[in-house]
Amino acid sequence: MSVNVLVTRPSMPPMDEYIEEIKDLWESYWITNMGEKHQILQSQLKSYLQSDNVELMVNGHMSLELTLQAMKLQGEVITTPYTFVSTTHAIVRSGLTPVFCDVDPDTYTIDTEKIEMLITDYTSAILPVHVYGNVCNIEEIQRIANKYDLKVIYDACHSFGETYHDKGVGAYGDASCFSFHATKVFHSIEGGAVCYRNQELGKRLEYLKNFGIDGPESVQDIGANAKMNEFSAAMGICNLRHIEEEIQKRKKIDCRYRSHLEGVKGIKLRQEDKNVQYNYAYFPVVFEKEFGATRNEIFDALAREGIVTRKYFYPITNSLECYHRRFDATKTPNALYISKHVLTLPIYSDLSIDQVDCICEIILKMQRKSLYGTLEH
Ligand SMILES: *Cc1c(COP(=O)(O)O)cnc(C)c1O
């Protein structure tokens, strides 16, 4: 097989299609600041994400930061450390204090049974993550939020296009933040969006992403610059045309991995929730002790064959250097355990079935080696 299998690779539309899409920009000279492409992509996403309220952003991270700002939150935000660093940074950079709740050992999403004990007089919001596209326990989170009058902001960066009970995931909570980064299932090179419930919030997001400017001579708030430019929006428009095919190809890869790895002793895969329509963004595998070979050994063995996997998410965010030991990762033991045992395997639409077979063969060989001390079985 060919070496250099990356963990992910951006899906590219046919080059001609993109060139065709951006031609107008040489006529209009309108290349950023909510031009025509921006409007088109926004309206297409309203339909695709099944949400009347979609605000485009420059990336997923600023979607989170500006949503927190637009909600005028203060104090503490309950979240999970089992996520990309952006989630935690967005909270801290907004002057808020993250309070880390452990995750469920099977779905890796926030453990709703542990939320209430973390609520104090200072808690203003819950910021859960649909990690790997595993949809959180939405009903229970909403019940708790209603009981304590808290906002709910989902980090939905992994769950583009997913539905839960036949509704777009962005329809739940007060807001959901998506990322359209090149490595995500759907991308606009860099980009993001917020689906929101409340119209006032939408208005604030709209001016916050443009320095807080809400009229020719009026600056309403201390905003940032988080506008999506026209070249990115054009890439989004092209990629959206191919999204169903993209997800179907990923689904095939997911199935193929499962055909090799499901039921193998010491290997834990995602249990599918029948109420969720997945986007197959990631293929996380947890290697438990009974597997024999450790996560790091498997990572190294694959790397020797030119196959890049990721220890995603390791380290967890409450143990990062930059937080100067402000948090204690041992208080979120499930997240800590998973971070030390998980490996996300390569998945992208043009990864071949042969490559998947080869990756699994290397993994299973590691198991035979550790169980029998030989590769000859
Ligand atoms: C990608 C990602 C982000 C940040 O999105 P960007 O578009 O890269 O800024 C935030 N949270 C999670 C969980 C992500 O995967």
Side-chain angles (χ1 to χ4, degrees):
M1 73 172 278
S2 67
V3 288
N4 296 324
V5 175
L6 301 171
V7 70
T8 182
R9 186 156 99 181
S11 45
M12 300 296 268
M15 192 164 80
D16 292 346
E17 188 182 329
Y18 183 62
I19 290 170
E20 193 55 41
E21 193 63 50
I22 60 175
K23 267 186 184 156
D24 320 350
L25 303 176
W26 268 262
E27 283 147 34
S28 67
Y29 293 90
W30 193 333
I31 58 177
T32 187
N33 284 49
M34 288 69 80
E36 193 188 1
K37 305 294 175 193
H38 183 286
Q39 309 303 340
I40 293 170
L41 181 61
Q42 182 183 27
S43 102
Q44 290 178 346
L45 285 175
K46 283 180 185 177
S47 142
Y48 188 75
L49 297 174
Q50 304 175 37
S51 171
D52 292 337
N53 303 311
V54 177
E55 194 59 49
L56 299 185
M57 293 284 169
V58 69
N59 55 45
H61 182 79
M62 289 308 291
S63 304
L64 287 165
E65 282 200 16
L66 293 188
T67 301
L68 293 170
Q69 187 182 357
M71 286 181 176
K72 302 181 178 172
L73 298 177
Q74 286 188 324
E76 299 172 353
V77 175
I78 296 175
T79 187
T80 96
Y82 194 73
T83 181
F84 183 52
V85 60
S86 166
T87 321
T88 304
H89 281 0
I91 295 169
V92 175
R93 286 169 52 84
S94 302
L96 298 158
T97 304
V99 173
F100 292 102
C101 182
D102 205 0
V103 297
D104 179 277
D106 296 320
T107 63
Y108 322 137
T109 57
I110 197 162
D111 184 345
T112 49
E113 286 184 14
K114 295 181 182 147
I115 295 177
E116 284 191 81
M117 60 176 107
L118 298 171
I119 294 174
T120 70
D121 291 346
Y122 303 104
T123 311
S124 59
I126 310 174
L127 203 169
V129 184
H130 299 310
V131 67
Y132 305 130
N134 294 348
V135 175
C136 298
N137 185 345
I138 283 175
E139 294 84 0
E140 190 54 18
I141 291 167
Q142 199 56 56
R143 184 193 67 77
I144 296 167
N146 293 346
K147 181 170 167 191
Y148 295 93
D149 192 22
L150 306 175
K151 295 277 191 248
V152 178
I153 304 117
Y154 285 106
D155 182 331
C157 288
H158 290 180
S159 54
F160 181 84
E162 292 190 335
T163 62
Y164 180 63
H165 287 288
D166 298 322
K167 263 166 66 175
V169 284
Y172 298 94
D174 295 286
S176 296
C177 298
F178 292 88
S179 164
F180 308 154
H181 184 256
T183 54
K184 304 295 205 281
V185 169
F186 166 78
H187 78 87
S188 59
I189 311 171
E190 296 268 3
V194 183
C195 291
Y196 56 90
R197 185 188 290 272
N198 175 287
Q199 298 305 320
E200 282 305 306
L201 181 80
K203 227 173 270 166
R204 281 201 288 277
L205 286 171
E206 198 177 340
Y207 61 67
L208 282 173
K209 77 174 185 185
N210 189 24
F211 306 99
I213 297 169
D214 75 328
E217 295 176 8
S218 165
V219 180
Q220 269 289 328
D221 211 334
I222 307 164
N225 180 1
K227 306 183 296 288
M228 180 185 285
N229 73 64
E230 290 293 278
F231 287 83
S232 277
M235 181 60 95
I237 291 168
C238 292
N239 282 331
L240 199 57
R241 291 191 193 112
H242 304 283
I243 188 70
E244 286 311 323
E245 190 190 337
E246 170 75 25
I247 292 173
Q248 283 314 308
K249 284 181 175 168
R250 285 171 172 272
K251 184 177 182 176
K252 270 197 190 132
I253 293 161
D254 185 285
C255 273
R256 190 71 173 193
Y257 272 128
R258 281 175 191 278
S259 74
H260 289 295
L261 303 178
E262 200 126 58
V264 174
K265 199 165 146 223
I267 279 189
K268 211 166 126 185
L269 305 178
R270 166 169 72 202
Q271 300 294 312
E272 304 243 321
D273 176 342
K274 63 179 184 332
N275 300 311
V276 177
Q277 202 182 328
Y278 290 97
N279 63 9
Y280 306 98
Y282 298 91
F283 197 86
V285 180
V286 171
F287 292 97
E288 314 219 73
K289 200 157 172 267
E290 307 79 66
F291 184 73
T294 65
R295 183 272 304 270
N296 287 351
E297 286 166 354
I298 295 155
F299 176 90
D300 292 340
L302 288 165
R304 279 194 297 274
E305 304 288 336
I307 296 157
V308 181
T309 57
R310 270 186 86 186
K311 299 171 190 178
Y312 198 58
F313 297 96
Y314 175 83
I316 46 176
T317 67
N318 54 359
S319 68
L320 294 172
E321 287 283 299
C322 59
Y323 290 116
H324 309 289
R325 301 176 207 282
R326 265 170 67 184
F327 311 111
D328 181 359
T330 62
K331 288 188 175 157
T332 53
N334 292 340
L336 193 58
Y337 174 86
I338 299 156
S339 77
K340 289 178 176 171
H341 293 82
V342 75
L343 202 58
T344 58
L345 301 183
I347 188 164
Y348 46 88
S349 58
D350 49 6
L351 183 69
S352 74
I353 291 298
D354 286 349
Q355 287 170 317
V356 174
D357 292 349
C358 177
I359 291 164
C360 293
E361 184 49 36
I362 295 167
I363 292 170
L364 295 173
K365 219 189 238 175
M366 290 295 289
Q367 184 187 40
R368 291 196 292 273
K369 191 176 165 191
S370 66
L371 290 180
Y372 307 112
T374 166
L375 291 177
E376 300 314 307
H377 286 78

